Amino acid sequence: MSVIKVLGNFAILLMLTGLQVPARAQDKVTAIVNAVIIDGNGNSPIEDGSIIIRGGKIEAVGSQLKVPSGAEIIDAAGQVAMPGLADMHVHLTWGGEGHDLLGYQRRLNALLYAGVTTVLDTGAVLPFVQQMHQAIEAGKIVGPNIYYVGPLIDSVDPQWPAVSLSMASETQAQKITRYLKNNGVSAIKAYAKLTRPQIVALVNHGKKLGLPVIVDAWFSNGAEHLVTTGLRAFAHTPRRVIDDTLKIMKQNEVQIITTRAVGGIVKHARLRGLSFLQSDLIKNTTPSWLLEKASKDASRALTDKQFANDNFSEHFHKLLQKNVKLIFDAGIPLVAGTDNDGLFTGEELHFELELLVDAGLTPLEAITTATKNAAKLMKEDDKWGTLEPGKRADIILVDGRPDKNISDTRNIKLVMVRGRVIEREKLVLNEQTDLNVRDTKFGY
């Protein structure tokens, strides 16, 4: 962790613990100094820069800034300061092997431990994720900033019944959107089996209430008949990309949540081998029994060709990687998301950024997908996502140079949420107090 110096009348830097997090930083001043600053806009880094934080917000960013008298100093010499990362496709009520409500704190801790300070939950048990969001806002539990859609809006025969709300026809759209609005959602998630008229109805009623629609139409993601519905974004990179559709997509200001890290243990093992399981971001946040199972499945993925072929197509992966670059080159905003189901919570977003660079983005362009573009998806890029005056002080310090080597985003040394420093050591999983329950009768 960075050396913390104290000026003025302060005796120590008040550190946020993993158990108690005030919802808002008090009106204090903190200065991060001697940092290389990546602002999240895609600009070249500021060498030897400073960030002044007051009352949980960024007051000033730049080089040769005057540090206010009495400010608490965080000396970031040799480190990079950048916006806290955002994963805009997670499922907080999943725990790696199925629905897991009791293990919520482990997943929230894992996100923060990995420097993920904001998430969009794109399908969960509504009362549960709503209360989770409220508890974080009230400072009752620790966790990242949460946006949520609540249940998936699907057909009368939903794919995921426990986290879905059935829609039989477009006439239900008004009632559904009002219900969601009354329960604090930030967007609507239209799922695979809905018809175009149903999605259009959700879009039209959602607009009246300020709720954008995000669509996961499986193999129809990116299709022209959906692009023109008025949706805000597709939840996955489309499998089929043609120039005419890209033009229409850009005209309609459609965004793409990339979601390239999704695919389960098979995809991870086939692309990364087994060494990735030794990452501190995984080992320090994953229950031992789940880590053991993941290791066995990963080993099988490398040795059993039929198992791998049934669960992961390298040809399909390469196709989607190619499409990521085509979409990016067409000027369509990409937003980082993982479709994380609780297995490699937090760590998986770093894998996502690596995959985006592998697809052809520069490291700075990839970082923008998890910072500025993430906030833009929620139309809150005036509030967070970049290191600029007036923005929320969600900041991470990392070792290395992620602007040159994207994998260096993994080297988290400090996490700040709303101007408060998180004590990362207290986010490490304690299996004695973790409330996750393993029930072999149900396969987990």
Side-chain angles (χ1 to χ4, degrees), residues 197-436:
Q198 288 174 324
I199 294 175
V200 169
L202 287 173
V203 168
N204 290 338
H205 286 285
K207 283 182 177 178
K208 297 176 183 178
L209 300 175
L211 297 178
V213 173
I214 296 169
V215 172
D216 181 358
W218 292 355
F219 290 131
S220 292
N221 284 322
E224 183 175 334
H225 74 284
L226 296 177
V227 170
T228 54
T229 59
L231 58 81
R232 171 75 55 82
F234 285 105
H236 290 261
T237 297
R239 67 188 296 269
R240 186 167 183 264
V241 172
I242 58 177
D243 289 342
D244 288 344
T245 305
L246 288 176
K247 292 177 182 178
I248 297 171
M249 201 177 292
K250 185 174 182 180
Q251 291 170 358
N252 285 271
E253 300 183 340
V254 173
Q255 301 171 57
I256 301 294
I257 303 175
T258 53
T259 317
R260 295 299 302 116
V262 69
I265 191 63
V266 179
K267 182 174 185 177
H268 290 261
R270 299 292 285 186
L271 294 175
R272 301 201 276 177
L274 296 179
S275 61
F276 80 96
L277 289 170
Q278 300 305 311
S279 166
D280 286 344
L281 299 184
I282 293 176
K283 289 195 303 180
N284 289 343
T285 60
T286 306
S288 57
W289 68 266
L290 186 53
L291 192 59
E292 180 181 353
K293 182 179 185 302
S295 181
K296 290 179 179 178
D297 287 346
S299 297
R300 183 182 177 191
L302 293 177
T303 58
D304 188 336
K305 291 184 178 180
Q306 186 59 52
F307 178 69
N309 290 336
D310 289 345
N311 290 276
F312 170 67
S313 164
E314 293 186 31
H315 171 74
F316 187 50
H317 165 70
K318 291 178 180 178
L319 172 64
L320 293 185
Q321 288 292 86
K322 179 182 177 181
N323 288 349
V324 165
K325 189 60 163 61
L326 290 173
I327 293 167
F328 178 80
D329 288 344
I332 296 163
L334 299 179
V335 180
T338 63
D339 202 3
N340 181 272
D341 61 1
L343 184 55
F344 305 131
T345 304
E347 186 273 347
E348 203 162 40
L349 183 62
H350 298 276
F351 183 37
E352 182 79 19
L353 298 181
E354 291 165 347
L355 289 174
L356 294 181
V357 171
D358 178 69
L361 276 66
T362 68
L364 285 175
E365 289 167 345
I367 289 169
T368 300
T369 70
T371 54
K372 178 181 180 179
N373 289 6
K376 185 177 180 181
L377 175 69
M378 307 312 300
K379 290 192 178 299
E380 292 201 345
D381 45 322
D382 61 331
K383 298 179 181 178
W384 60 276
T386 57
L387 302 185
E388 297 179 279
K391 301 290 184 72
R392 194 168 67 208
D394 297 340
I395 303 170
I396 59 176
L397 296 183
V398 302
D399 278 342
R401 288 299 296 253
D403 57 312
K404 299 175 181 179
N405 176 21
I406 192 61
S407 294
D408 285 346
T409 60
R410 297 173 174 273
N411 302 329
I412 309 292
K413 297 303 174 183
L414 181 143
V415 177
M416 175 182 285
V417 180
R418 300 190 182 193
R420 293 271 184 175
V421 176
I422 302 288
E423 192 171 348
R424 290 181 74 236
E425 292 79 4
K426 292 194 175 182
L427 300 176
V428 174
L429 175 63
N430 181 343
E431 295 198 62
Q432 299 302 313
T433 58
D434 182 39
L435 294 178
N436 176 268

Side-chain angles (χ1 to χ4, degrees), residues 106-222:
R106 166 170 43 84
R107 295 190 296 280
L108 297 177
N109 287 354
L111 288 163
L112 288 180
Y113 189 79
V116 180
T117 58
T118 301
V119 297
L120 170 63
D121 187 296
T122 56
V125 178
L126 178 54
F128 186 82
V129 73
Q130 179 187 32
Q131 291 175 34
M132 194 186 306
H133 165 79
Q134 292 171 342
I136 291 171
E137 289 289 307
K140 302 296 184 182
I141 62 175
V142 63
N145 305 290
I146 296 177
Y147 296 90
Y148 60 96
V149 304
L152 307 170
I153 309 304
D154 205 354
S155 72
V156 293
D157 183 22
Q159 181 71 19
W160 306 103
V163 292
S164 297
L165 184 61
S166 294
M167 182 177 184
S169 73
E170 55 268 31
T171 58
Q172 292 175 270
Q174 183 178 29
K175 182 178 180 180
I176 288 173
T177 54
R178 284 181 176 173
Y179 167 73
L180 295 175
K181 181 68 174 181
N182 289 340
N183 283 278
V185 307
S186 300
I188 299 167
K189 176 79 171 286
Y191 209 57
K193 298 179 182 180
L194 293 186
T195 65
R196 185 182 190 280
Q198 288 174 324
I199 294 175
V200 169
L202 287 173
V203 168
N204 290 338
H205 286 285
K207 283 182 177 178
K208 297 176 183 178
L209 300 175
L211 297 178
V213 173
I214 296 169
V215 172
D216 181 358
W218 292 355
F219 290 131
S220 292
N221 284 322

